[in-house]
Amino acid sequence: MAKYDFDFKKKVVLAYLKGEGGRDYLAKKYSVASSHHILEWVNNYNMLGDEGLKRSRKKESYSFEKKLSVVRRIEI
């Protein structure tokens, strides 16, 4: 899947919300791989605002104790 940056997603979402076209039209106009992406972006934007369009891939490391507590919770 192609990666789209925040500014690009916001431009497409705002075009959709302004009524500049449907998601299929905008997907073609902006070369988005699938109109489904636009629907997801619009829904995320409506629920969370700008934060909904930002990528949230963080490299988190967890301690051994945290991992063990999760495993123990699953075993119960």
Side-chain angles (χ1 to χ4, degrees):
M1 176 172 71
K3 295 179 183 175
Y4 305 99
D5 68 13
F6 168 77
D7 292 327
F8 177 79
K9 289 184 212 178
K10 187 159 183 180
K11 178 169 65 170
V12 175
V13 167
L14 293 177
Y16 179 84
L17 294 175
K18 289 178 187 175
E20 294 178 15
R23 56 188 190 145
D24 290 328
Y25 170 79
L26 293 173
K28 282 186 181 181
K29 179 178 178 180
Y30 291 104
S31 301
V32 175
S34 171
S35 64
H36 182 72
H37 293 312
I38 295 174
L39 181 61
E40 287 181 7
W41 299 342
V42 169
N43 289 336
N44 290 342
Y45 183 77
N46 285 334
M47 289 186 342
L48 303 170
D50 286 348
E51 290 300 314
L53 300 178
K54 294 180 181 173
R55 291 180 51 112
S56 62
R57 293 196 176 165
K58 300 175 186 171
K59 292 184 179 182
E60 294 186 36
S61 59
Y62 299 100
S63 68
F64 176 77
E65 291 79 17
K66 174 70 175 173
K67 293 176 185 178
L68 187 58
S69 72
V70 171
V71 170
R72 285 187 176 150
R73 214 174 308 142
I74 293 172
E75 290 177 347
I76 297 175

